[in-house]
Amino acid sequence: MTTTQPAHTPLGSLPPREHLRLGQIDTVLDVVIPVYNEESDLEPCVRRLHDHLSRTFPYGFRITVADNASTDRTPEISASLGETIDEVTAVRLEEKGRGRALRTVWSLSDAPVLAYMDVDLSTDLNALLPLVAPLISGHSDLAIGSRLARSSRVVRGPKREFISRSYNLILRGSLAARFSDAQCGFKAVRGDVAERLLPMVEDSGWFFDTEMLVLAERAGLRIHEVPVDWVDDPHSTVHIVRTATEDLKGVWRVGRALATGTLPLDRLARPFGDDPRDRELAGVPRGLARQIMGFCVVGALSTLLYLGLYSLFRLGVGPQPANAAALLLSAIGNTAANRRLTFGVRGRERAVRHQAQGLVVFGIGLALTSGSLAALDAATGDPAHGTEMAVLVAANLAATLLRFLLFRAWVFTDRDRDRERDQDRARNGGDAVPVQDRHTAVADRPAAVREHPTPVPDHPTPVPDHPTPVRNHPTPAPDVPHPTAAPHHPGRSTR
């Protein structure tokens, strides 16, 4: 494999998607098979996958066996396969973890399309070409196999079915995930996306897939789903309880990072393509649908907070003071939450001004709700508590609509978001510069090389610095540690 020293790559947004220049690339697809103590299944799996790709895949491919510190005969079998089959490479890692294996191999692979599948081949291989085709064409950034799509055909026990569906419901409820199946061991990603995305993924175990998909989706990348035929492996070595526990911890960690804005997702943003219809139009609001969704979530939580505070304050004071105090406290929290989560404004700059403007909006809401209470009191004399609550809910709905319009047009304007974006770019080393095509062939070397950016600063898990050995490339620099590769003899091919 061609290995290069990490190069400084602009950390702005990704370039527009485009069809891969396949005529200039020797190896289009790199399929990684992470294994741990799989001496019985490894060789049949690799030979079956190699036969399938040789018959059906129209471009150059590679199969990389990533051995995660196996203690049985798996390393010997991997080495033997690497010796006898030209398109197979064996890599030995001394630490366990599926995510660690994928990050290590993917980070330094020169293939423009990177995929992985489980060694048991539970997924029908006929789905492999539909999985990677949208990535080759430039339509999508990532692709996943889905066992929960309507047209999928799945054979597995009720226990695993319940766990899988429950896990995906948790992802939808806690992280607002829209993809249907996070755990299916059948995924692919474009190489230019992987070099930006992998440094942000912290997990090195089974939660790696989920974290990668959530971050990609939040950054606006396109995820293609392929319905698959899938048969459960009854001899799977996955420890369900331990894996579920680690997954829940990962959900909490990623949710907290997204809520606090500590992940630089702007580096994964894709601009629209070259079609003039996709360009930004004057007078058309940006991100309106996402802002409305975020505002509704914040508004619902604020309303619950308001009603709880009102009920609490109402025990000691009259309705008007209770309404004013509850509305004031909930408005301060509402403004802060909308500032960060809905309109994407971070940092302390202009925060006081935004709160002051939010208090003006609060005053308008106070006038609406107080006026509603005054009108109710004038009409009935001594209204019941339930009637008061119903009137307040209706008045708050009207105030909420007005609050959103004022927030968008007056408090958190596009200028604030543009200023925040410019500050992020300044912190990241300058304005975004289009990333050059990583896969254009170079005359003096046999295969294209994707240059890798410097790992994301201050992130706990940088891109692994272990070069992954792939054949027909110069030996990496002697001072760079690398996993142990199986010996290779190009002349010994079974084909």
Side-chain angles (χ1 to χ4, degrees), residues 141-153:
D141 299 294
L142 297 91
I144 64 174
S146 175
R147 299 163 296 183
L148 302 181
R150 291 186 177 181
S151 56
S152 298
R153 295 187 298 177

Side-chain angles (χ1 to χ4, degrees), residues 1-2 30 62 64 89 108-110 468-474 485:
M1 173 183 181
T2 300
D30 191 350
R62 178 189 306 126
T64 303
T89 297
L108 295 177
S109 175
D110 60 346
T468 303
V470 181
R471 288 194 298 256
N472 302 327
H473 297 287

Side-chain angles (χ1 to χ4, degrees), residues 39-232:
E39 60 182 4
S40 60
D41 293 335
L42 178 57
E43 184 169 0
C45 159
V46 172
R47 293 192 178 279
R48 178 183 165 196
L49 175 60
H50 179 266
D51 176 69
H52 177 83
L53 288 172
S54 299
R55 290 185 294 102
T56 64
F57 194 70
Y59 311 112
F61 65 88
R62 178 189 306 126
I63 301 172
T64 303
V65 180
D67 173 24
N68 290 128
S70 295
T71 57
D72 60 1
R73 295 184 58 253
T74 297
E76 290 80 3
I77 297 174
S78 301
S80 175
L81 291 169
E83 290 178 355
T84 57
I85 305 178
D86 283 341
E87 292 82 5
V88 175
T89 297
V91 175
R92 168 74 176 182
L93 293 96
E94 299 302 330
E95 295 181 89
K96 293 177 60 177
R98 181 177 68 174
R100 179 178 290 107
L102 294 178
R103 183 187 290 111
T104 301
V105 177
W106 281 357
S107 294
L108 295 177
S109 175
D110 60 346
V113 178
L114 310 168
Y116 97 88
M117 62 179 58
D118 293 334
V119 68
D120 54 21
L121 294 188
S122 295
T123 304
D124 182 12
L125 293 179
N126 288 326
L128 183 55
L129 185 56
L131 183 80
V132 301
L135 309 185
I136 295 174
S137 70
H139 174 271
S140 300
D141 299 294
L142 297 91
I144 64 174
S146 175
R147 299 163 296 183
L148 302 181
R150 291 186 177 181
S151 56
S152 298
R153 295 187 298 177
V154 177
V155 178
R156 61 177 168 182
K159 180 180 178 180
R160 287 184 176 270
E161 181 77 11
F162 174 77
I163 292 174
S164 179
R165 291 188 178 274
S166 298
Y167 180 64
N168 283 281
L169 285 176
I170 291 174
L171 294 181
R172 289 175 177 270
S174 60
L175 300 179
R178 295 191 299 271
F179 47 84
S180 65
D181 191 353
Q183 294 176 311
C184 183
F186 193 68
K187 296 181 175 68
V189 59
R190 280 181 64 110
D192 56 348
V193 174
E195 67 178 348
R196 299 288 187 89
L197 179 57
L198 294 181
M200 300 183 189
V201 181
E202 180 177 339
D203 190 79
S204 59
W206 293 98
F207 188 69
F208 176 89
D209 306 45
T210 302
E211 185 171 356
M212 180 178 67
L213 292 175
V214 169
L215 298 186
E217 188 176 73
R218 286 299 186 94
L221 299 180
R222 181 175 293 157
I223 301 175
H224 178 73
E225 296 197 15
V226 177
V228 297
D229 298 340
W230 194 87
V231 179
D232 190 17

